[in-house]
Amino acid sequence: MATTTDEAYSSTMAVSKKVILITGVSKGLGRALALELATTYGHTVIGCSRDQTKLDSLHLQLSGVSPNANHLLLNVDVRCNRSVEEFARIVKENELVPDIIVNNAGVVNKQGNMWEIDVQDFDNVIDTNIKGSANILRHFIPLMIPYNKGIIVNMSSDAGRDNTPYKMIAPYCASKWGIEGMSKSIAQELPKGMAIVALDPGVIHTDMLESCQGDLASQCQTPEHWYALFLTCFDNVSVSCFIFGIFFLFFSNSK
């Protein structure tokens, strides 16, 4: 008897659990992604954020939907290299080296002409979006290399590919152009069996979007709707299935 795509994929996932590291996991797209991957597919989530209260509430949710998984959520400031170094040490100590990294943590500056933006605001965007991603990669890629497999997803934006529709957020645009360039360069440096991509998820209603768009942000899709959109676009196969379908091509072909 033939199986449906979902049934076949579920069977594959049942014997292929992954450990997935998500930065900025406590809210927005990061939180939605963590819950989807843990709830639907039973993956183990490693996450970090600077909001302990939201980390605690997420841990309760994850424990409820997948009580047998060894989820690890820590208060980490990705802007701080030493903080990320300690994060990597704890992850290795717990034998949770990630199969997949999602560099999701990001901020946007308060809107304004570049020359009028507060220097601390500018620095915070660059330190979080660029240096934060680099800090994660600096300490976690060496943990993944011995396994000769792994996927890194750096969350990007259309603002890092086409600045025409964007103004008043020059630091954010610069950071996402940087993510695009850094991802392409690292792709040439990674060993066989590993891959890195910059992913533009589209415009999503998050706290970050509200900070620069105000009430207009509510007109955009929610993180949960983002999944529903992919369900529709990819013939009722969830976004996780779509993304991991790509991921497992790399995993199955890696030696």
Side-chain angles (χ1 to χ4, degrees), residues 24-237:
V25 76
S26 67
K27 60 183 180 180
L29 187 57
R31 190 183 188 102
L33 183 60
L35 288 169
E36 168 76 4
L37 295 175
T39 302
T40 307
Y41 302 104
H43 298 304
T44 298
V45 175
I46 308 169
C48 67
S49 165
R50 290 179 284 165
D51 191 323
Q52 188 61 52
T53 300
K54 290 182 178 178
L55 281 173
D56 291 342
S57 67
L58 175 59
H59 196 275
L60 283 174
Q61 284 185 279
L62 290 173
S63 298
V65 298
S66 54
N68 295 324
N70 187 24
H71 301 300
L72 180 64
L73 304 181
L74 297 177
N75 192 318
V76 176
D77 185 348
V78 296
R79 300 172 300 179
C80 176
N81 184 60
R82 288 186 178 180
S83 181
V84 175
E85 183 177 25
E86 177 64 8
F87 180 31
R89 185 194 67 77
I90 294 172
V91 166
K92 182 178 180 181
E93 189 177 78
N94 283 271
E95 299 182 347
L96 289 172
V97 174
D99 300 295
I100 298 164
I101 293 175
V102 181
N103 261 322
N104 170 72
V107 296
V108 67
N109 58 281
K110 183 178 180 180
Q111 290 192 67
N113 294 317
M114 190 281 292
W115 56 92
E116 297 171 338
I117 294 171
D118 181 79
V119 64
Q120 291 183 335
D121 194 9
F122 197 114
D123 287 350
N124 186 45
V125 172
I126 300 301
D127 288 348
T128 304
N129 298 4
I130 291 282
K131 294 169 68 176
S133 295
N135 287 337
I136 289 290
L137 300 182
R138 178 180 298 114
H139 293 291
F140 280 92
I141 286 178
L143 300 184
M144 300 166 76
I145 285 176
Y147 296 92
N148 293 316
K149 64 180 181 180
I151 297 295
I152 300 160
V153 180
N154 289 330
M155 284 299 186
S156 185
S157 167
D158 187 51
R161 300 174 180 180
D162 179 11
N163 288 153
T164 304
Y166 302 93
K167 62 179 181 179
M168 312 294 277
I169 52 170
Y172 180 76
C173 290
S175 74
K176 292 307 180 180
W177 278 91
I179 286 294
E180 293 284 332
M182 183 170 69
S183 300
K184 291 177 181 177
S185 180
I186 294 173
Q188 301 177 67
E189 300 165 1
L190 291 174
K192 185 176 181 180
M194 295 184 66
I196 185 170
V197 295
L199 175 66
D200 170 16
V203 183
I204 301 172
H205 183 191
T206 61
D207 291 347
M208 186 174 72
L209 189 65
E210 284 187 4
S211 71
C212 61
Q213 294 292 332
D215 292 340
L216 292 176
S218 63
Q219 300 177 21
C220 300
Q221 62 183 336
T222 64
E224 293 75 19
H225 182 262
W226 186 66
Y227 286 109
L229 178 63
F230 272 85
L231 281 167
T232 301
C233 292
F234 295 100
D235 192 27
N236 293 323
V237 179

